[in-house]
Structures are given as C-alpha cells and as structure tokens.
Amino acid sequence: MRSVRARAALGATLVVALALAAAGLAVLLVLRANLTDQAGLQAEVAAREVAGQLALGVPYDRLETGDEEDHPVQVTDEDGRVVAVSKDLEAISGTGTDRVTRAPAPTPSPTAEDGDDDDDDDGTDGPDPARGEVSTDDPDFANGTATVDGDRADYRFASVEATNAAGLTLTVHAGAPLAAEQRAVGSVRGAMLTGLPVVLLVVAGVTWLVTRRALRPVEGIRREMAAITASEDLSRRVPEPGSHDEVARLARTTNETLTALEASVERQRRFVADASHELRSPIASLRTQLEVGAAHPELLDVTGAVADTVRLQALAADLLLLARLDAGERPGTALLELGALVREEVSQRTGDRIPVAVSVPEEAGGLEVTGSRTQLARVVGNLLDNAERHARSAVAVAVRAEGGGVAVEVTDDGDGVAEAERERIFERFVRLDDARTRDEGGAGLGLALARDVAVRHGGRLTVTGAGERGARFTLWLPDAR
C-alpha cells in the first residue's frame, strides 16, 4: 500500500463496490416492491370477486373461490369467526385469524322469496331481491403463509369488507402467491453477487494500468532527480512528457527550479571566488606593509595600512550584508522619513572631495517609507560614493514624491554610463574599465547591494543619463501609506 498505484486501485475499487452495492440494493428493493404490489393487486381482485358473491347473497358453501392454490380465501365475520374457507386450505397466517375451520351453525345468507309469489297476474316481474354491497375503501394488505393441500408457501393477502343482504359485515381475505417475486429477486440477487466480483476485478485492473501509465513519467522524473542528486550536475534536466497534463507541468516546473538552482549555485560560486580574490588584495597589501614595518620601522606606511584596513572593513561589511540578504533577511517595518535620512547621511560625509548639494522639500511628512534604516542608509551612502568616484565637479541628491512613492535621485557630472552597461553595473563584482583601479574603484559590490536592498523593500534602482554628461541614479520606494 506504499504505492500510489495500489492506493488508487484500492480506492477506486472500494468506491465502485459501494456504488454497485447501493445501486443493487436499490434495484432489489424496487423490484421487490413492484412484484409485491402486483401480487397485492391480484389478491385484491380475488378478494373483491368473493366479496361480490357475498353481497349478492351466495351461500357460504357455494362460494366460487377460484384456484385455491393460487388464491387461498378465508372469510370472517364481525367477531372474527371463520365462516368460509377455500377448499384444501389447511393452515393460514397473516390474516389475523389462523383458523381454517368454519364456525358451527353459520347463518346462511338470505335469498329471494319464491318467484311465483312475486309475479303479478299480468306476468310482470316483482321487485328485485335485497342485495348487500362491497366496500370501496382501499383494502388492507399483509404478508403471510398458507398451506394448501400439504404445500406451504408465502402469500400477499388483501382484506376486503362486504355487507350481505342481512346487514352482516364480512371480511374476505384472499391471497396471491409471492413465489414469482421471490424467484425474481433471488435471480437478480444471484446475478449481482456473481457479477460484482468480476466488475470489481475489472475496475481494479483498469485503474492499476491507467495509473501505472499516468505515473510512468513521474518515475522517470524521480530517477533523473536521483541521478542529478548523486552526480551534483545541475545542468541536467528531467524529461518532459509530450502530454499537457499535470505531470508535464510538474516536469516543466522541476526544470525551471533546476535552472534557478543552477544559476543560484553558479552565482554563489562566483561570489565566493570573487570575494576571495577581493579580500586577498587588501590583506596581502596590509601584510606586506606590516612586514616591511617590522623589518624597517622607518619605512612603515601607516596611512596606507589604515586605508587598506578601512577598505577591508568596508568590503567585509558589504559581504556580510549580501550574505544576510541572500539568506532571506526581511527589511524592517520602521517608519522612516526619507528626506531626513538623506540629510543625515550627507551631513556625516566630511571627507568628500566634492560637496554634495541636497534638495529636500520642506513638507517632509509626505516622504515617509517603511523599511530598515541601516540598509536604506547604506544604499544612499553607496550611491553617493559612486557619484563622488566618477564626478568631475558636482554631485547632487534630491528627494521628491513620485508615482505613489518617494524617489531619491543622485546625480553627478562624470562621464556617465553607456546604455549597454546600465544593467551590468548592478551585477556583483562588476567594474567598468574606468573603475578597475583598486585605489579609485570599489570592489564592484556597492551598486549590486543597493539594488538588492531596493528590491527587497518593494522598490527599484535605475540609472539614466543626466543631460549631456553624467549619470543619474534613481532610487524609488513605495510610500508608507
């Protein structure tokens, strides 16, 4: 039962078994009810025929009850005494009176007087003899048994009341055999019990085969995934079936996941390799200076050592933040006034070679965003560092409301960014040709980190040209409202 095919086959078989059992029971009940109603109708007809004879005044011992074996008849009076029974009726049950012998000295039904006394002299007939009547109410039905000439069988009895000419109310109990109903129900039940296992076997087999065929691509996907896991080769892909069903969509989604995983692993490998390379240079430079200083104290370049240490510290901080972002760190939910944050960040930049011109509107209440103050301050600082590195004589930062959010623009009058490179500069460890010197150019992480932070805050970071020359970096974040 660990197999999906086995569970599907068992489930389908159980459902079909329950459905067929319910349908078969319903068929048997309807068939029995219809045949029982037909037997009741026959019994009613027989009972009304005998009741009609009693209403006409036929004596009890002259009643025509028809075929006793098919329609056994029992007649009782108001006190429940048996006044007439069918010939050869030996036992009966289900009519309320089990006796099959007549009560002693029954009173015969009155008959008409002699016709000669009623004839007139002119030969016309006299008045009709008195007659009783048969009840028109629906008869009462009951199931019982009767033994006729030694043969015991089940019957459907109908009870019809009749009143004779003397005003005596009699009840006629006439039966109709239920043998046909029992044979029909037994035959249908036997056919169902014989055919049900065959049907269930067919359902189980078909379900097994269909499920096996449907799951065959899934097994192929599983085997390929196991091979990928064993080989650690993320360039492999699972087979995609030609169908357009759920399994095909699963295969496509699996391949898309493998593609994303391969890209992530490759990016992680490049990240580790580039980070190792970038860390090696300042560490090697710092070690060299310290070794020279240890051997020749008079040659120790303290300023260079401090610069390398600061650069190493900044690089380590960037790498740590990128690692936290890659790990899924969510931005905070603090309410920040972006204009005040920009003014504070600019005021702390005392060593810039070019003063930064700040343009922030006075209505600061409309420039609020939500997020991490530390991360957003890092974004603004990275954008200003990039502008200071490439600007010739001017760096400006402006804050304004734009499109349901807040935009921060950092502009410089440097050489700008070629349109073909405007997306590549946001990749990690990417430096354009004019920024590859390690003294003036960074490690290629500032802009990549800034875009990652912007995206995780629900915003975006883009670069365009700033007039005839220079570059304009625009950070857009959704309004806190």
Side-chain angles (χ1 to χ4, degrees):
M1 296 309 298
R2 296 181 180 179
S3 170
V4 175
R5 289 175 294 176
R7 290 197 297 268
L10 179 60
T13 303
L14 290 177
V15 170
V16 173
L18 292 176
L20 290 180
L25 181 61
V27 169
L28 290 177
L29 292 177
V30 171
L31 178 62
R32 175 173 292 177
N34 289 338
L35 293 177
T36 301
D37 290 343
Q38 292 181 7
L41 180 60
Q42 296 174 7
E44 180 183 359
V45 171
R48 290 193 180 278
E49 288 180 356
V50 176
Q53 297 178 49
L54 292 174
L56 292 174
V58 175
Y60 300 144
D61 55 356
R62 296 183 182 179
L63 292 174
E64 295 291 337
T65 58
D67 189 349
E68 293 85 356
E69 187 172 346
D70 289 339
H71 302 294
V73 175
Q74 180 191 57
V75 182
T76 59
D77 60 10
E78 296 174 345
D79 296 328
R81 295 177 300 178
V82 178
V83 298
V85 293
S86 299
K87 182 181 178 181
D88 297 330
L89 180 61
E90 300 174 359
I92 192 171
S93 66
T95 62
T97 302
D98 297 340
R99 295 179 58 188
V100 293
T101 58
R102 299 192 314 177
T107 302
S109 300
T111 58
E113 295 180 357
D114 190 359
D116 294 339
D117 295 337
D118 294 333
D119 291 341
D120 295 333
D121 293 339
D122 56 4
T124 60
D125 294 336
D128 293 337
R131 296 184 179 182
E133 62 180 4
V134 179
S135 174
T136 58
D137 295 338
D138 292 336
D140 295 329
F141 294 98
N143 291 339
T145 61
T147 304
V148 180
D149 197 16
D151 295 329
R152 186 174 182 273
D154 295 327
Y155 289 86
R156 179 72 169 174
F157 289 102
S159 301
V160 177
E161 291 185 351
T163 305
N164 61 13
L168 180 62
T169 301
L170 302 171
T171 303
V172 180
H173 306 282
L178 293 175
E181 176 264 343
Q182 294 173 348
R183 286 193 300 270
V185 172
S187 299
V188 173
R189 183 172 55 245
M192 288 182 176
L193 292 177
T194 302
L196 181 61
V198 177
V199 173
L200 294 181
L201 287 176
V202 172
V203 170
V206 171
T207 304
W208 177 275
L209 294 176
V210 171
T211 307
R212 179 182 179 183
R213 182 178 180 84
L215 294 179
R216 187 176 299 166
V218 177
E219 180 63 20
I221 294 174
R222 187 202 64 78
R223 286 196 301 266
E224 186 63 25
M225 288 297 295
I228 293 173
T229 302
S231 64
E232 298 183 357
D233 182 7
L234 295 178
S235 63
R236 300 173 62 172
R237 297 294 180 265
V238 300
E240 295 186 16
S243 59
H244 300 282
D245 54 7
E246 292 84 352
V247 177
R249 291 197 292 271
L250 172 63
R252 287 193 293 271
T253 302
T254 302
N255 284 334
E256 292 172 359
T257 303
L258 289 173
T259 301
L261 182 60
E262 182 185 14
S264 176
V265 171
E266 183 62 27
R267 184 177 62 179
Q268 189 71 19
R269 289 172 179 170
R270 290 198 307 267
F271 177 80
V272 173
D274 293 339
S276 301
H277 180 74
E278 293 295 334
L279 288 172
R280 183 176 59 183
S281 296
I283 291 176
S285 175
L286 182 60
R287 178 181 176 179
T288 300
Q289 295 181 54
L290 293 176
E291 289 177 348
V292 170
H296 306 281
E298 69 278 3
L299 299 179
L300 177 63
D301 185 5
V302 177
T303 304
V306 171
D308 285 339
T309 303
V310 171
R311 181 168 174 239
L312 184 61
Q313 182 182 14
L315 180 57
D318 287 343
L319 292 175
L320 179 61
L321 180 55
L322 284 174
R324 292 204 308 266
L325 293 177
D326 289 341
E329 179 179 309
R330 295 181 178 273
T333 58
L335 189 64
L336 305 174
E337 200 280 292
L338 205 54
L341 185 146
V342 169
R343 283 196 293 263
E344 179 180 350
E345 184 67 20
V346 172
S347 66
Q348 296 176 357
R349 302 177 65 87
T350 57
D352 289 342
R353 65 184 182 88
I354 299 176
V356 179
V358 181
S359 174
V360 179
E362 295 182 359
E363 57 275 12
L367 304 178
E368 292 181 339
V369 297
T370 57
S372 169
R373 182 180 187 86
T374 303
Q375 292 183 11
L376 293 180
R378 175 68 68 83
V379 172
V380 174
N382 287 355
L383 294 179
L384 291 175
D385 288 342
N386 182 75
E388 288 284 345
R389 187 177 299 116
H390 297 90
R392 295 185 178 183
S393 61
V395 175
V397 57
V399 183
R400 69 174 187 276
E402 178 183 296
V406 182
V408 179
E409 288 185 351
V410 178
T411 307
D412 65 76
D413 62 349
D415 294 332
V417 182
E419 188 172 355
E421 304 287 347
R422 288 179 181 176
E423 282 300 317
R424 199 169 73 87
I425 61 173
F426 292 108
E427 297 178 6
R428 297 178 182 182
F429 298 104
V430 170
R431 294 185 300 246
L432 301 184
D433 292 338
D434 60 351
R436 289 191 180 274
T437 59
R438 299 192 183 278
D439 293 335
E440 297 180 359
L445 289 178
L447 295 179
L449 189 149
R451 171 167 278 191
D452 282 352
V453 172
V455 172
R456 292 180 186 276
H457 280 73
R460 60 181 178 269
L461 176 62
T462 58
V463 58
T464 57
E468 296 181 359
R469 57 187 305 175
R472 176 181 291 110
F473 287 82
T474 302
L475 168 68
W476 182 90
L477 297 173
D479 193 286
R481 295 170 295 181

